[in-house]
Amino acid sequence: MNHIALLMENQPGALSRVIGLFSQRGYNIDSLSVAPTQDSTLSRLTMTIGEEGADINQILKQLYKLVDVVMVQNLSQSNAITVELAIIKLKRSAEEVEKIIVNPDLELKILDDKDGFTSFRLLGSTNEIEEILSALKEEEFLEVTRSGTLGITIGEESLATNDQTKIIYD
């Protein structure tokens, strides 16, 4: 799984052009998160794709060629922090949920516990959330919603413009 972050112009149609690139080439986007940045003219898009190997560099190069894209970065090849949020509703009490989910790397917060149904929030890496969902497959899920991966590099490396454009890969 690869996590890609990019800065793009905050304009109508910019997101559809990025998505269109993946659609045209038959690549699947597993998760997608877009939000404005501290610069109101730019949005940050973070996506997770399942394409591996040489394909990822080709994808990054093609993304960078898009008019609206200012910067591209492969978070999977950088020293980065990635996190995902999942909200889950189970037909279990809060106490039972807390006993089932015992992973110190995940942040668990009970959001609602009513009539034997519990809604809770999990915050952790995509892999940790996948593991929990797999372990809970025998449970009676009522709803599951996930934010998609968010990521940011560690240290001085960042996805910031400083009046220059660049692509970061390999």
Side-chain angles (χ1 to χ4, degrees):
M1 210 173 282
N2 286 287
H3 304 293
I4 297 173
L6 59 90
L7 289 178
M8 64 183 182
E9 293 179 16
N10 192 4
Q11 301 216 10
L15 178 59
S16 66
R17 283 185 279 283
V18 170
I19 302 308
L21 184 142
F22 285 85
S23 176
Q24 290 169 353
R25 284 152 184 83
Y27 296 138
N28 188 42
I29 298 172
D30 295 327
S31 74
L32 180 76
S33 178
V34 184
T37 64
Q38 66 276 15
D39 178 347
S40 62
T41 66
L42 297 174
S43 288
R44 182 182 176 112
L45 181 148
T46 307
M47 68 179 91
T48 304
I49 59 169
E51 305 301 323
E52 297 289 338
D55 289 337
I56 190 67
N57 287 336
Q58 186 63 29
I59 291 169
L60 294 171
K61 289 174 186 175
Q62 290 170 347
L63 281 169
Y64 188 65
K65 289 179 185 177
L66 294 175
V67 171
D68 301 309
V69 174
V70 177
M71 299 181 80
V72 180
Q73 185 175 43
N74 183 354
L75 293 175
S76 300
Q77 297 297 318
S78 301
N79 195 8
I81 299 166
T82 59
V83 68
E84 184 173 344
L85 170 71
I87 301 174
I88 302 167
K89 186 188 295 185
L90 289 178
K91 188 175 181 177
R92 293 281 188 154
S93 70
E95 294 80 27
E96 291 174 309
V97 167
E98 288 173 334
K99 287 178 186 173
I100 294 171
I101 300 178
V102 246
N103 182 337
D105 296 326
L106 280 172
E107 180 183 314
L108 167 69
K109 179 170 182 178
I110 303 297
L111 302 172
D112 181 60
D113 182 20
K114 188 172 184 177
D115 301 327
F117 296 92
T118 302
S119 297
F120 57 97
R121 174 183 78 193
L122 290 177
L123 186 65
S125 74
T126 300
N127 290 339
E128 292 164 345
I129 289 176
E130 287 286 343
E131 287 173 14
I132 290 294
L133 291 175
S134 180
L136 291 174
K137 67 183 176 192
E138 301 301 321
E139 300 297 322
E140 189 173 337
F141 281 106
L142 298 175
E143 291 183 69
V144 176
T145 185
R146 295 167 69 174
S147 66
T149 302
L150 298 175
I152 194 164
T153 55
I154 297 171
E156 72 175 298
E157 183 182 349
S158 69
L159 192 61
T161 58
N162 297 330
D163 296 324
Q164 58 182 329
T165 59
K166 63 181 177 180
I167 181 172
I168 302 169
Y169 60 94
D170 276 334

